[in-house]
Amino acid sequence: MSRPRISDVAAAAGVSVTTVSLVLNDVESRISESTRRRVREAADAVGYAPSSVARSLRTRQTRTVGLISDRIATTPFAGRMLAGAQDAARENDHLVIFVDTGGDDEVERDAIAALRAQQVDAMIYASMWHRVVEVPASLPAGTVFLDCRPEHGGFPSVVPADREGGYAATRVLIEAGHRRIAYLDTSDGPIASFLRLEGYHEALTEAGIPIDPALHIRGGESTAQGAREAAERLLDLPEAQRPTGIFAFNDRMAVGVYNAAHRRGLRIPDDLSVVGYDDQLLVAAEQDPPLTTVALPHYEMGRWAMEVALGVRADGDSDATHRMECPVIRRDSVGPPPAHVAKQSRRRTT
Amino acid sequence: MSRPRISDVAAAAGVSVTTVSLVLNDVESRISESTRRRVREAADAVGYAPSSVARSLRTRQTRTVGLISDRIATTPFAGRMLAGAQDAARENDHLVIFVDTGGDDEVERDAIAALRAQQVDAMIYASMWHRVVEVPASLPAGTVFLDCRPEHGGFPSVVPADREGGYAATRVLIEAGHRRIAYLDTSDGPIASFLRLEGYHEALTEAGIPIDPALHIRGGESTAQGAREAAERLLDLPEAQRPTGIFAFNDRMAVGVYNAAHRRGLRIPDDLSVVGYDDQLLVAAEQDPPLTTVALPHYEMGRWAMEVALGVRADGDSDATHRMECPVIRRDSVGPPPAHVAKQSRRRTT
DNA sequence: GTGAAAGCGCTAACAT
DNA sequence: ATGTTAGCGCTTTCAC
C-alpha cells in the first residue's frame, strides 16, 4: 500500500526506468510513440506520481521558494502580497514555504537556516510596511526584498512609489478646487511618511499653493484615535486657516478624520474632503461615504517579487529598487470645497 | 564552493560518516565525549548544515506540513489562523508550505497533488469562514479541517463556537438592561448566521424576553452598506418596538449600524447599544466609540489545527469537530438602554 | 530506440 | 566505541 515508484511503472510497462523517466519528463522524442503511450497508461494504472524529494536530491532543484516575513500574517492588508507571490509561484510550478517570524531575530535566523537546508530555489524577504531593513547575515544572494529595501543595497527590491502616491493624493484635492489642504501625518516616522509628505509639498508648490506648516500635523501612531484628536485640532483652526481638504497618511487615520468630522457636525464631502492611503480592505470602501484613497499595490508587489526571484522577469536587477505605482481609488469622500470658500478659489481660475 | 556534505565533516574530524550522523543527530550516547566535540568543531569549521532533502528521502519524513486554503491570503482577519498554525509548526520544527487556491477547484487539485508529491508530513485544509466543505477526493487521511467541517465527517476539524458566541453577544446586551434586542443578520446564509441566531434566541428565551420576529432582520451581504439600510429600518420602527440594542452578525455590519445611528442623530452607546462579531483587526477597535464584539479565535484555531496535524495534541480525534470558544471583547459600544426605556426594565428586576 | 548503472546526501542496520 | 555499506527514488550519462 506504499506509494508506487518509478520502477513499478517500468515493470508494469515492460520497459526500463530510464524510459519511464524520459517519457514522463518529456525529454527528447526518440522514444517511440507506442512506448510512450504504454508508459503513460502504466503510470496511470498504478497511480504513479514522482517523488519530489527524490527528484530534488538528484536535480538539486526543489521547485520551492522561501517567503520569510516579519509579520505579514497578522497585518490585514499584507495578505495580498502573499496572494500575489502565491499566484506567480503557482504559474511557474513552484510551491511557497512561508515563515512569519513575528519580528523575532532568532526565529528569523533559524528560519533562514531551515529554508537553506530545504534547498529552496529562491527566497523573498518581506516586510509588512515599507522600510529599510538590515540584511540578515545568512540571506542567500539574489534574495528579493518585498515592501522593504536592504540597507546597503545588493539585492533586488520592490516598494510602493510613496512620493508619487502622496503627490497623486494631493492632486485629487487640488483638482477638486481645494487650496487649503492639510497633511495628517503619522508620528511613527516610517519612510512612507516622509515620501508622501514630499509628494504633498510638490503638488502644492506646483499648483502655486503656499506651504502652510500649520497644515502639516502629526496624529500619533497612525490609529483612528490619535488621528481623530489631531483632526479636531485642524478643524478648530480659525475659519480662514482651516483646511477644506485633508490628506491622511493612511486609511486608519482617515477614519479618525471621519470621526472628528462627525463630532464637529461636518459632513463629508460637503463640508470637508478627505483622501486616505492604503486602500485597506474592509476599511476604505466601507466608510460612509466610501473613502477616496491611494492603493498600495500589494498584490502586484508580491507578484513582482516572486517573478524576479524565479528569474522569469527581466526588470529585476540584482541591485535596483523597483518603485511600484500606487493608483488613486476614487470613491465619494472628495468634493468641491464649501461654497463660500469655493467661490474664492474659483475666482482664480475664471 | 558547493555546500559541504557529511563526508566532508567526517574527513575533517577524522571519523566515519556514521559517527558524524550519530553525534549531529544526538542519537545514542555511545560516542565518546571527545569524539563528539571533534565532530561538532569540524562541522562548524566547514560550515556544515545537513541537507533536508537527502534526509527526507532517507527517513520519509520531510518536516513540512501543507496548508491549503481557499482564500485566506486575501481575507484580512484570516491571517491570524496562519500565524497560529505557523507558530505551532515552528515550535515543533516544521515548515509550512502554504497554498492559497483562490477557491479554484482545479488549482486545489493540483495543489493537493503537489503537496503529496512533496511528501508533506501532514496537511491542513482551511477555509476563510466557517462552513461545511466537500472533501476533495485526493486529500490524505488525517488532514485537519480548519474553520470548516468536512461534509461527511471522517476528519478532525476545528470551528468557532458560533452558537455560544451568539448567546454571549446577546447576554452582553441583556445584562446591560436591554429588552428590545435586534439581531441584524446577513443574507448570505453561512452556518454561522444560523448558529448565532440560535444563541440569540436561547439568551432571549432564557431571560424571559419574548422573541419578536420584527427584530430579526437581514441586511444584505454582510457589508456596512447593506447593514446600514437594514439598521435604518430598525431605527424607524415605532417607538415602542424600536430596539435599544443591536447585535450585528459581524463587525462590518456593526459599522453599518454606526452609520445608521449617525444618520439618525443617535449616539452610541447612549441612545443605542451595539455588539459585533469577529473582532476584526483595524475595524472593531477603531470605531468611535470602540466596538464591543465577540472575537473569532483565529489564532487559536490555527494553532489547534497544526498541533493536531502534527500529532502533538490529545484532543484531536480523527472524527470530531472541536468547537472553540469565542470570547467577548468588551469595549464602549454597550451601555444601559436610554432612560425612559431603562426605567421600565429596571422595574422588573427590583 | 532503449537499458545499465552511477550517484544526489543522508540514515541505520549490521559489523567489528 | 566506531566503521562499512545498502538503500531512499529519482535523473542522466553512456553504452548498446
Side-chain angles (χ1 to χ4, degrees):
Chain A
M1 191 47 231
S2 101
R3 55 184 292 165
R5 315 178 299 157
I6 195 171
S7 59
D8 297 325
V9 179
V15 297
S16 75
V17 297
T18 306
T19 303
V20 176
S21 175
L22 256 25
V23 350
L24 261 25
N25 289 310
D26 274 327
V27 173
E28 313 212 15
S29 44
R30 56 185 193 192
I31 309 286
S32 76
E33 198 43 61
S34 68
T35 308
R36 306 176 84 79
R37 212 180 34 249
R38 214 144 34 87
V39 169
R40 294 231 164 76
E41 280 161 7
D44 276 3
V46 303
Y48 174 72
S51 155
S52 306
V53 176
R55 174 181 289 168
S56 295
L57 179 59
R58 179 63 230 230
T59 61
R60 294 141 163 288
Q61 278 212 83
T62 54
R63 303 199 78 77
T64 59
V65 3
L67 173 24
I68 178 167
S69 88
D70 49 359
R71 222 173 305 238
I72 280 192
T74 45
T75 306
F77 49 87
R80 291 186 293 188
M81 290 202 290
L82 246 181
Q86 177 68 67
D87 285 353
R90 193 188 50 241
E91 285 162 21
N92 293 281
D93 287 315
H94 279 254
L95 249 18
V96 2
I97 302 184
F98 176 69
V99 182
D100 192 291
T101 66
D104 181 316
D105 282 351
E106 193 188 330
V107 169
E108 180 174 288
R109 264 196 307 280
D110 291 351
I112 294 173
L115 255 13
R116 298 193 74 135
Q118 278 289 335
Q119 269 134 268
V120 291
D121 295 342
M123 204 136 147
I124 294 175
Y125 187 90
S127 169
M128 59 176 171
W129 41 272
H130 183 178
R131 61 196 181 98
V132 169
V133 295
E134 266 182 78
V135 178
S138 48
L139 220 48
T143 294
V144 181
F145 284 67
L146 172 53
D147 207 7
C148 54
R149 282 190 303 115
E151 199 169 7
H152 306 294
F155 298 84
S157 60
V158 56
V159 298
D162 281 302
R163 214 171 84 87
E164 291 77 353
Y167 173 85
T170 312
R171 280 303 301 172
V172 168
L173 261 3
I174 292 174
E175 279 161 18
H178 296 266
R179 305 274 304 167
R180 288 206 304 277
I181 300 171
Y183 176 39
L184 176 46
D185 205 348
T186 173
S187 307
D188 286 348
I191 303 178
S193 157
F194 298 105
L195 258 18
R196 293 174 195 172
L197 176 62
E198 279 184 22
Y200 161 78
H201 281 160
E202 187 187 334
L204 253 31
T205 304
E206 183 195 83
I209 301 175
I211 289 171
D212 179 352
L215 295 184
H216 175 213
I217 187 170
R218 299 203 181 262
E221 299 169 315
S222 76
T223 64
Q225 246 73 275
R228 176 178 54 67
E229 285 159 27
E232 285 181 289
R233 271 180 280 139
L234 236 24
L235 297 180
D236 290 343
L237 247 29
E239 172 75 23
Q241 226 191 131
R242 197 210 300 164
T244 60
I246 300 182
F247 164 35
F249 171 69
N250 66 14
D251 292 347
R252 296 175 75 187
M253 298 187 74
V255 170
V257 176
Y258 273 58
N259 293 339
H262 279 139
R263 295 195 171 197
R264 289 290 178 276
L266 262 28
R267 285 160 316 155
I268 296 171
D270 313 71
D271 303 316
L272 181 69
S273 288
V274 9
V275 176
Y277 211 114
D278 286 1
D279 194 28
Q280 172 106 47
L281 227 49
L282 304 203
V283 173
E286 303 261 311
Q287 298 306 311
D288 186 25
L291 178 67
T292 289
T293 189
V294 179
L296 243 18
H298 277 128
Y299 181 89
E300 291 73 17
M301 293 197 302
R303 175 175 274 285
W304 190 95
M306 183 58 74
E307 288 176 349
V308 169
L310 257 21
V312 298
R313 186 169 191 121
D315 60 345
D317 266 1
S318 68
D319 189 11
T321 297
H322 187 83
R323 294 156 69 253
M324 198 158 278
E325 191 194 342
C326 301
V328 171
I329 310 293
R330 288 171 199 277
R331 286 195 271 250
D332 310 317
S333 61
V334 173
H340 56 289
V341 182
K343 229 178 290 161
Q344 157 197 339
S345 90
R346 221 163 260 153
R347 208 176 295 140
R348 294 194 149 266
T349 46
T350 22
Chain B
M1 191 43 230
S2 101
R3 53 184 294 166
R5 315 179 299 154
I6 196 172
S7 58
D8 297 326
V9 180
V15 297
S16 75
V17 295
T18 305
T19 303
V20 176
S21 175
L22 256 26
V23 349
L24 260 26
N25 289 309
D26 274 328
V27 173
E28 312 211 16
S29 42
R30 58 185 190 189
I31 310 286
S32 77
E33 197 42 63
S34 66
T35 309
R36 308 176 82 79
R37 211 179 35 250
R38 213 142 35 85
V39 169
R40 294 231 164 76
E41 280 162 7
D44 277 2
V46 302
Y48 174 72
S51 154
S52 305
V53 176
R55 175 181 288 169
S56 295
L57 180 59
R58 180 62 231 228
T59 62
R60 295 139 162 290
Q61 278 212 88
T62 53
R63 304 200 78 78
T64 59
V65 2
L67 173 25
I68 178 167
S69 87
D70 49 0
R71 222 173 304 240
I72 281 192
T74 45
T75 306
F77 49 88
R80 289 185 294 188
M81 292 202 288
L82 246 181
Q86 177 68 67
D87 285 353
R90 192 188 51 241
E91 286 163 19
N92 293 281
D93 287 315
H94 278 254
L95 248 18
V96 3
I97 301 185
F98 175 68
V99 182
D100 192 290
T101 66
D104 182 314
D105 283 351
E106 193 187 331
V107 170
E108 181 175 287
R109 265 195 307 281
D110 291 351
I112 294 174
L115 256 12
R116 299 193 73 136
Q118 278 290 335
Q119 269 135 270
V120 292
D121 294 343
M123 203 136 148
I124 294 176
Y125 187 89
S127 170
M128 58 175 171
W129 40 271
H130 182 179
R131 60 194 181 100
V132 168
V133 296
E134 265 181 78
V135 179
S138 48
L139 219 49
T143 295
V144 181
F145 284 67
L146 173 53
D147 207 7
C148 55
R149 283 190 303 116
E151 198 169 7
H152 306 295
F155 297 84
S157 61
V158 57
V159 298
D162 280 303
R163 214 170 85 87
E164 291 76 355
Y167 173 85
T170 311
R171 279 305 299 172
V172 168
L173 260 4
I174 291 173
E175 279 161 17
H178 296 267
R179 306 275 303 169
R180 288 206 304 278
I181 300 171
Y183 176 39
L184 177 46
D185 205 349
T186 172
S187 308
D188 286 349
I191 303 178
S193 157
F194 297 106
L195 259 18
R196 292 174 197 173
L197 176 61
E198 278 184 22
Y200 161 77
H201 282 160
E202 186 187 334
L204 253 31
T205 303
E206 183 194 83
I209 301 175
I211 290 171
D212 179 353
L215 295 183
H216 175 214
I217 189 170
R218 297 203 182 264
E221 300 170 315
S222 76
T223 65
Q225 247 71 278
R228 176 180 53 68
E229 286 158 27
E232 284 182 287
R233 270 181 281 139
L234 236 25
L235 298 180
D236 289 343
L237 247 28
E239 172 75 22
Q241 228 191 128
R242 198 210 299 164
T244 59
I246 299 182
F247 163 35
F249 172 70
N250 66 13
D251 293 347
R252 296 174 75 188
M253 297 188 74
V255 170
V257 176
Y258 273 58
N259 292 340
H262 279 137
R263 295 196 171 197
R264 289 291 179 276
L266 263 28
R267 286 160 314 156
I268 296 171
D270 313 73
D271 303 315
L272 180 69
S273 288
V274 7
V275 176
Y277 211 113
D278 287 2
D279 194 26
Q280 173 105 50
L281 227 50
L282 304 203
V283 173
E286 302 261 308
Q287 299 306 310
D288 185 23
L291 178 68
T292 290
T293 190
V294 179
L296 242 19
H298 278 129
Y299 181 89
E300 290 74 17
M301 294 197 301
R303 175 176 273 285
W304 189 96
M306 183 58 74
E307 288 177 348
V308 169
L310 258 22
V312 298
R313 185 168 191 121
D315 60 347
D317 267 0
S318 68
D319 189 11
T321 297
H322 188 83
R323 293 155 70 253
M324 198 158 276
E325 191 194 342
C326 302
V328 171
I329 309 294
R330 286 171 199 279
R331 287 195 271 249
D332 310 317
S333 60
V334 173
H340 55 290
V341 182
K343 230 178 288 159
Q344 158 197 340
S345 90
R346 222 163 260 148
R347 211 176 292 139
R348 294 195 149 267
T349 46
T350 23

